Amino acid sequence: DGLVGVVLPLVLLVDGAAAYNNGPMAYAPLLGWQTWCAVGPCGTDLCTDEQIRATAIALNTTSGLQAKGYEWLVLDDCWHPSRDPANDTLVPDPERFPYGMPALIAFVHSLNLKFGLYTSVGTTTCHGGWSPGSYGHYDVDAQTFAAWGVDYVKMDWCGDLRTPFGHVEFSRALNATGRPIVLELCRGLYQEEDAWGYAPSVAQVWRAAHDHHDTWSSTLEQVAALENVTAWSGPFGWAYGDMLMTGGQGCGDKTTVNATEPPTHCPGQTEAEYRSEISLYAVLASPLLVGTDVRAMTDLMTSLLLNDDVLAVNQDALAKPAYVTSSCGDKAYVRRLSDGRVAVAVPNFDDDAVKHRGACLDDLGLGGDWGATNVTVRDVWLNTTLEEGAFTEDGEYKRPIDPHDTVFLILELTTDVLEAPPPPPEAAASAEVDHHHHHLAGGRGGGGGGASAAAAS
């Protein structure tokens, strides 16, 4: 399949790749939007100049997203470039992008948004294999992207001759441009290594699993890939669960983009499942890039994507991502926030039955200060704060939720404490490794060079 085996320790490959600190753009998990599931079902999103301009305007105004921090707009494997035979530079599809890429990027920048483009580490990209990848052109493509004003590159794992060496070389090439450019690695051998292998030292974002589709089973796959391995995420380096499906992918079997046709959603998940998706992505500190059509914001999309509690938890860059534990006998995700509060997400994984889910303080390991009478409960999806009497005498707060829904809580001590809660045992055990990871990622700063993990999404 063109994959070249690599047996050398990959740490040896990155000695010179992480030296250039090119800005703080990935200090916290990125917020934004990307193509792929907006116009038609996932994989049929034929992005055009007109669609991207309209989406940028929606991000900037009607959706309310940019005001909440969603500032990234990323084109996936849908801009279908060719190479100019005169100089081997990439040229976007002239039918879809008649004014060229620099003009489109300048428009996006005029709205104070940041712009991302897709390529692949191998000889071709993933969507049909007819577009050229960056293999053999890492330097020229990096220079092209920088000259166009690109702020983010998603590098997929398709085509012949794809190797981790390519990831490292493209990271080096981005750094050499002198322009701050975030690098996302979309799949690669780092996924098979401890602590994400070489990815944190050459990229700011790396995919944790295969593509996310608009199904509950796919959401569970993404969450499982992030569980207990996001301890190595932190400022300038984030494990990513692929794009959010909030509100549902597009409808129909689109082979062309009809600009006059209004955007529509055909949800593949329930409202409860979309709540669980964004709750778990938030506590696991995944970047939140929306893959559905934000030109048609539904009430559900507004309530989830613009939720201040969700964003506060997700954007707390100094907090360790959630660890997995048990609460009241149920699987729970717990994230200690940098201000001393604690976010707790407890899903109902049952396929059929309403279940009571919530927080049992004794199970969360928060320490002796956290008792039934001195903890405030913020129930995010009820939009309610309970200051007294929320917990039973045994320290339990539970309520019934539908199948595949999630209770999402933010707990806060009502009495002053001098220190934040101690880290859980598993976090303490990996503290030394985490420190090394953050040194590498911080050395890269927020810019050029990086890797992501997943096929074109």
Side-chain angles (χ1 to χ4, degrees):
D1 65 358
L3 176 61
V4 177
V6 177
V7 294
L8 292 175
L10 292 176
V11 68
L12 298 178
L13 304 180
V14 300
D15 284 348
Y20 185 65
N21 184 336
N22 61 354
M25 294 194 298
Y27 178 75
L30 280 65
L31 304 175
W33 176 86
Q34 72 178 84
T35 62
W36 202 244
C37 301
V39 179
C42 295
T44 61
D45 196 353
L46 303 177
C47 53
T48 66
D49 182 281
E50 188 166 0
Q51 178 206 1
I52 299 308
R53 289 174 188 260
T55 300
I57 292 171
L59 284 169
N60 179 251
T61 56
T62 56
S63 70
L65 287 165
Q66 187 176 358
K68 295 290 187 178
Y70 293 83
E71 62 178 0
W72 294 89
L73 190 157
V74 181
L75 271 64
D76 211 297
D77 192 4
C78 58
W79 64 288
H80 295 308
S82 57
R83 290 202 180 272
D84 185 333
N87 54 21
D88 262 359
T89 58
L90 292 170
V91 179
D93 182 344
E95 181 179 358
R96 294 186 177 94
F97 300 94
Y99 310 110
M101 201 56 72
L104 176 59
I105 295 172
F107 176 80
V108 171
H109 285 166
S110 75
L111 300 178
N112 292 316
L113 296 166
K114 296 182 175 65
F115 187 90
L117 271 181
Y118 167 101
T119 187
S120 182
V121 71
T123 53
T124 59
T125 67
C126 296
H127 193 209
W130 64 75
S131 296
S134 287
Y135 178 81
H137 301 84
Y138 297 137
D139 285 287
V140 68
D141 288 356
Q143 293 292 337
T144 297
F145 293 152
W148 286 352
V150 170
D151 307 298
Y152 180 112
V153 175
K154 172 181 176 179
M155 173 158 269
D156 217 332
W157 184 250
C158 281
D160 292 337
L161 304 175
R162 59 192 188 277
T163 69
F165 295 99
H167 285 159
V168 174
E169 280 298 290
F170 191 71
S171 177
R172 175 201 55 75
L174 285 179
N175 281 339
T177 70
R179 178 176 177 80
I181 300 177
V182 169
L183 178 58
E184 174 199 340
L185 298 186
C186 180
R187 296 181 304 142
L189 298 187
Y190 66 86
Q191 291 176 299
E192 303 170 12
E193 300 181 315
D194 293 337
W196 302 113
Y198 61 92
S201 60
V202 300
Q204 291 73 50
V205 179
W206 52 91
R207 277 268 295 276
H210 294 288
D211 290 357
H212 186 194
H213 297 282
D214 194 10
T215 65
W216 176 239
S217 61
S218 179
T219 296
L220 293 179
E221 179 185 6
Q222 297 298 325
V223 171
L226 292 168
E227 286 179 9
N228 294 320
V229 287
T230 51
W232 291 277
S233 288
F236 310 115
W238 304 99
Y240 175 34
D242 200 11
M243 67 190 77
L244 291 167
M245 294 296 143
T246 314
Q249 62 186 348
C251 302
D253 182 16
K254 305 289 181 65
T255 56
T256 61
V257 175
N258 183 350
T260 63
E261 184 176 336
T264 54
H265 299 277
C266 285
Q269 299 181 73
T270 66
E271 291 193 2
E273 290 164 351
Y274 291 127
R275 269 192 298 275
S276 291
E277 176 193 55
I278 199 166
S279 299
L280 296 172
Y281 275 47
V283 295
L284 290 166
S286 171
L288 304 181
L289 298 179
V290 184
T292 56
D293 204 328
V294 299
R295 297 175 298 173
M297 290 284 285
T298 65
D299 290 344
L300 178 71
M301 294 172 72
T302 297
S303 68
L304 300 187
L305 297 174
L306 304 186
N307 186 281
D308 289 330
D309 293 317
V310 167
L311 295 174
V313 171
N314 177 259
Q315 292 292 288
D316 192 345
L318 296 180
K320 283 287 184 186
Y323 57 91
V324 180
T325 186
S326 175
S327 179
C328 314
D330 305 307
K331 188 174 187 177
Y333 301 78
V334 180
R335 187 178 194 192
R336 292 175 169 86
L337 304 179
S338 61
D339 62 4
R341 296 182 300 159
V342 177
V344 181
V346 188
N348 174 9
F349 290 112
D350 193 281
D351 292 332
D352 303 305
V354 172
K355 298 287 186 180
H356 283 74
R357 295 289 183 263
C360 287
L361 292 174
D362 288 346
D363 293 342
L364 302 181
L366 303 180
D369 292 321
W370 294 73
T373 61
N374 66 343
V375 176
T376 295
V377 177
R378 173 67 179 166
D379 194 320
V380 173
W381 299 128
L382 290 185
N383 193 26
T384 300
T385 300
L386 303 172
E387 296 185 358
E388 294 183 4
F391 285 91
T392 67
E393 291 182 1
D394 295 331
E396 294 186 5
Y397 171 85
K398 299 174 72 174
R399 65 176 177 85
I401 56 171
D402 290 333
H404 302 172
D405 209 341
T406 292
V407 170
F408 189 17
L409 309 174
I410 300 176
L411 309 182
E412 183 174 5
L413 280 174
T414 58
T415 55
D416 293 335
V417 290
L418 297 179
E419 297 181 336
E426 60 268 33
S430 62
E432 185 174 346
V433 175
D434 292 345
H435 172 76
H436 178 62
H437 159 72
H438 289 150
H439 172 71
L440 286 174
R444 282 203 53 73
S452 139
S457 88

